[in-house]
């Protein structure tokens, strides 16, 4: 569903990744504020999980200097702690095609919001909205 999105949409998606990186860098609480950030965080966790499985030496070189924690590399815990729900992952289930349509019965019955690609950048709550003038990364 994102293949048909334009350059502006993709630039906003890249900014969602950048926003999460900024949160992590500032030690702010990492909580996705919109569907784009949820997707970015899910993709990041999946990539980290794959790297620990497929490139353990590279991971160790990268994080070896950091203090250890008993939940290091516990990707299920990351997923449980960082998200209110996992609705966005339903977009990967081909049996649920069309679930992103706010008018669909399943979408309405489950109370889903912002699953249509054009809505991914809408904040879940107005008080969580990021500064609209924060700009973009320079390519």
């Amino acid at each position: 569903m994102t293949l048909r999105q334009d350059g502006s949409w993709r630039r906003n998606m890249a900014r969602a990744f950048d926003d999460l990186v900024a949160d992590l860098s500032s030690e702010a609480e990492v909580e996705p504020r919109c569907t784009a950030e949820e997707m970015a965080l899910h993709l990041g966790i999946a990539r980290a999980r794959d790297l620990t499985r497929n490139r353990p030496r590279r991971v160790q070189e990268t994080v070896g200097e950091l203090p250890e924690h008993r939940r290091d590399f516990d990707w299920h815990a990351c997923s449980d702690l960082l998200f209110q729900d996992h609705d966005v992952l339903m977009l990967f289930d081909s049996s649920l095609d069309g679930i992103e349509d706010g008018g669909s019965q399943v979408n309405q019955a489950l109370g889903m919001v912002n699953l249509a690609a054009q809505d991914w950048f809408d904040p879940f709550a107005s008080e969580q909205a990021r500064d609209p003038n924060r700009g973009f990364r320079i390519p």
Side-chain angles (χ1 to χ4, degrees):
M1 75 187 263
T2 63
L3 289 175
R4 294 173 284 210
Q5 301 308 311
D6 63 12
S8 175
W9 186 94
R10 293 181 190 295
R11 197 153 165 79
N12 278 302
M13 188 65 204
R15 185 165 62 178
F17 282 92
D18 290 343
D19 289 338
L20 292 171
V21 168
D23 288 350
L24 284 166
S25 298
S26 70
E27 298 183 18
E29 182 177 337
V30 176
E31 180 180 351
R33 301 180 188 194
C34 63
T35 301
E37 290 181 18
E38 280 189 334
M39 183 61 78
L41 199 50
H42 277 296
L43 292 171
I45 290 169
R47 178 73 173 139
R49 183 188 61 233
D50 291 345
L51 283 171
T52 57
R53 189 177 306 136
N54 300 326
R55 307 280 309 265
R57 193 173 329 157
R58 177 70 183 259
V59 170
Q60 186 57 38
E61 290 170 2
T62 304
V63 300
E65 301 289 323
L66 296 173
E68 290 187 33
H69 186 277
R70 67 181 179 81
R71 295 193 99 169
D72 283 349
F73 310 112
D74 184 346
W75 308 119
H76 293 292
C78 285
S79 188
D80 288 342
L81 294 170
L82 295 172
F83 299 94
Q84 292 180 17
D85 61 52
H86 298 289
D87 293 354
V88 72
L89 296 179
M90 291 182 187
L91 296 173
F92 290 105
D93 186 340
S94 60
S95 71
L96 297 173
D97 278 353
I99 198 164
E100 70 277 5
D101 178 2
S104 79
Q105 290 179 343
V106 174
N107 184 299
Q108 290 181 356
L110 295 176
M112 299 175 158
V113 296
N114 304 342
L115 291 183
Q118 70 269 15
D119 300 330
W120 280 21
F121 310 104
D122 295 344
F124 294 135
S126 58
E127 65 274 3
Q128 290 182 315
R130 295 198 185 266
D131 178 2
N133 299 315
R134 66 193 180 285
F136 292 92
R137 162 188 350 176
I138 298 172

PDB file of all heavy atoms in Angstrom, residues 106-117:
ATOM      1  N   VAL A 106     -14.663  -4.092   9.839  1.00  0.00           N
ATOM      2  CA  VAL A 106     -13.647  -4.587  10.772  1.00  0.00           C
ATOM      3  C   VAL A 106     -12.915  -3.414  11.413  1.00  0.00           C
ATOM      4  O   VAL A 106     -12.713  -3.379  12.625  1.00  0.00           O
ATOM      5  CB  VAL A 106     -12.648  -5.533  10.069  1.00  0.00           C
ATOM      6  CG1 VAL A 106     -11.522  -5.927  10.996  1.00  0.00           C
ATOM      7  CG2 VAL A 106     -13.361  -6.755   9.522  1.00  0.00           C
ATOM      8  N   ASN A 107     -12.523  -2.441  10.600  1.00  0.00           N
ATOM      9  CA  ASN A 107     -11.822  -1.260  11.106  1.00  0.00           C
ATOM     10  C   ASN A 107     -12.668  -0.555  12.161  1.00  0.00           C
ATOM     11  O   ASN A 107     -12.177  -0.218  13.245  1.00  0.00           O
ATOM     12  CB  ASN A 107     -11.500  -0.324   9.936  1.00  0.00           C
ATOM     13  CG  ASN A 107     -10.697   0.884  10.345  1.00  0.00           C
ATOM     14  OD1 ASN A 107     -11.138   1.690  11.145  1.00  0.00           O
ATOM     15  ND2 ASN A 107      -9.517   1.016   9.772  1.00  0.00           N
ATOM     16  N   GLN A 108     -13.923  -0.351  11.866  1.00  0.00           N
ATOM     17  CA  GLN A 108     -14.803   0.354  12.802  1.00  0.00           C
ATOM     18  C   GLN A 108     -15.079  -0.470  14.056  1.00  0.00           C
ATOM     19  O   GLN A 108     -15.077   0.062  15.160  1.00  0.00           O
ATOM     20  CB  GLN A 108     -16.111   0.732  12.114  1.00  0.00           C
ATOM     21  CG  GLN A 108     -15.917   1.823  11.089  1.00  0.00           C
ATOM     22  CD  GLN A 108     -17.212   2.233  10.412  1.00  0.00           C
ATOM     23  OE1 GLN A 108     -18.264   1.657  10.656  1.00  0.00           O
ATOM     24  NE2 GLN A 108     -17.127   3.245   9.562  1.00  0.00           N
ATOM     25  N   ALA A 109     -15.269  -1.771  13.874  1.00  0.00           N
ATOM     26  CA  ALA A 109     -15.568  -2.633  15.025  1.00  0.00           C
ATOM     27  C   ALA A 109     -14.397  -2.677  15.997  1.00  0.00           C
ATOM     28  O   ALA A 109     -14.593  -2.747  17.214  1.00  0.00           O
ATOM     29  CB  ALA A 109     -15.917  -4.043  14.552  1.00  0.00           C
ATOM     30  N   LEU A 110     -13.170  -2.631  15.467  1.00  0.00           N
ATOM     31  CA  LEU A 110     -11.985  -2.704  16.327  1.00  0.00           C
ATOM     32  C   LEU A 110     -11.495  -1.329  16.769  1.00  0.00           C
ATOM     33  O   LEU A 110     -10.536  -1.229  17.531  1.00  0.00           O
ATOM     34  CB  LEU A 110     -10.867  -3.459  15.607  1.00  0.00           C
ATOM     35  CG  LEU A 110     -11.159  -4.937  15.318  1.00  0.00           C
ATOM     36  CD1 LEU A 110     -10.029  -5.564  14.516  1.00  0.00           C
ATOM     37  CD2 LEU A 110     -11.380  -5.705  16.614  1.00  0.00           C
ATOM     38  N   GLY A 111     -12.126  -0.267  16.280  1.00  0.00           N
ATOM     39  CA  GLY A 111     -11.755   1.084  16.688  1.00  0.00           C
ATOM     40  C   GLY A 111     -10.372   1.502  16.218  1.00  0.00           C
ATOM     41  O   GLY A 111      -9.662   2.214  16.915  1.00  0.00           O
ATOM     42  N   MET A 112     -10.005   1.075  15.033  1.00  0.00           N
ATOM     43  CA  MET A 112      -8.677   1.392  14.498  1.00  0.00           C
ATOM     44  C   MET A 112      -8.652   2.816  13.955  1.00  0.00           C
ATOM     45  O   MET A 112      -9.664   3.330  13.496  1.00  0.00           O
ATOM     46  CB  MET A 112      -8.323   0.402  13.398  1.00  0.00           C
ATOM     47  CG  MET A 112      -8.267  -1.004  13.895  1.00  0.00           C
ATOM     48  SD  MET A 112      -8.004  -2.111  12.510  1.00  0.00           S
ATOM     49  CE  MET A 112      -7.329  -3.493  13.386  1.00  0.00           C
ATOM     50  N   VAL A 113      -7.473   3.430  13.997  1.00  0.00           N
ATOM     51  CA  VAL A 113      -7.327   4.779  13.460  1.00  0.00           C
ATOM     52  C   VAL A 113      -6.047   4.888  12.642  1.00  0.00           C
ATOM     53  O   VAL A 113      -5.057   4.206  12.909  1.00  0.00           O
ATOM     54  CB  VAL A 113      -7.292   5.856  14.578  1.00  0.00           C
ATOM     55  CG1 VAL A 113      -8.603   5.906  15.336  1.00  0.00           C
ATOM     56  CG2 VAL A 113      -6.143   5.630  15.542  1.00  0.00           C
ATOM     57  N   ASN A 114      -6.105   5.726  11.635  1.00  0.00           N
ATOM     58  CA  ASN A 114      -4.940   6.150  10.851  1.00  0.00           C
ATOM     59  C   ASN A 114      -4.180   5.012  10.167  1.00  0.00           C
ATOM     60  O   ASN A 114      -2.965   5.059  10.061  1.00  0.00           O
ATOM     61  CB  ASN A 114      -3.971   6.954  11.718  1.00  0.00           C
ATOM     62  CG  ASN A 114      -4.618   8.155  12.367  1.00  0.00           C
ATOM     63  OD1 ASN A 114      -5.681   8.601  11.952  1.00  0.00           O
ATOM     64  ND2 ASN A 114      -4.012   8.671  13.401  1.00  0.00           N
ATOM     65  N   LEU A 115      -4.862   3.993   9.684  1.00  0.00           N
ATOM     66  CA  LEU A 115      -4.178   2.916   8.985  1.00  0.00           C
ATOM     67  C   LEU A 115      -4.038   3.174   7.484  1.00  0.00           C
ATOM     68  O   LEU A 115      -3.182   2.569   6.845  1.00  0.00           O
ATOM     69  CB  LEU A 115      -4.868   1.571   9.219  1.00  0.00           C
ATOM     70  CG  LEU A 115      -4.774   1.011  10.630  1.00  0.00           C
ATOM     71  CD1 LEU A 115      -5.438  -0.362  10.711  1.00  0.00           C
ATOM     72  CD2 LEU A 115      -3.332   0.921  11.105  1.00  0.00           C
ATOM     73  N   ALA A 116      -4.844   4.051   6.924  1.00  0.00           N
ATOM     74  CA  ALA A 116      -4.689   4.417   5.513  1.00  0.00           C
ATOM     75  C   ALA A 116      -3.397   5.217   5.383  1.00  0.00           C
ATOM     76  O   ALA A 116      -3.091   6.074   6.229  1.00  0.00           O
ATOM     77  CB  ALA A 116      -5.886   5.225   5.038  1.00  0.00           C
ATOM     78  N   ALA A 117      -2.630   4.936   4.344  1.00  0.00           N
ATOM     79  CA  ALA A 117      -1.298   5.543   4.197  1.00  0.00           C
ATOM     80  C   ALA A 117      -1.317   7.061   4.321  1.00  0.00           C
ATOM     81  O   ALA A 117      -0.411   7.640   4.938  1.00  0.00           O
ATOM     82  CB  ALA A 117      -0.673   5.122   2.865  1.00  0.00           C
TER      83      ALA A 117
END
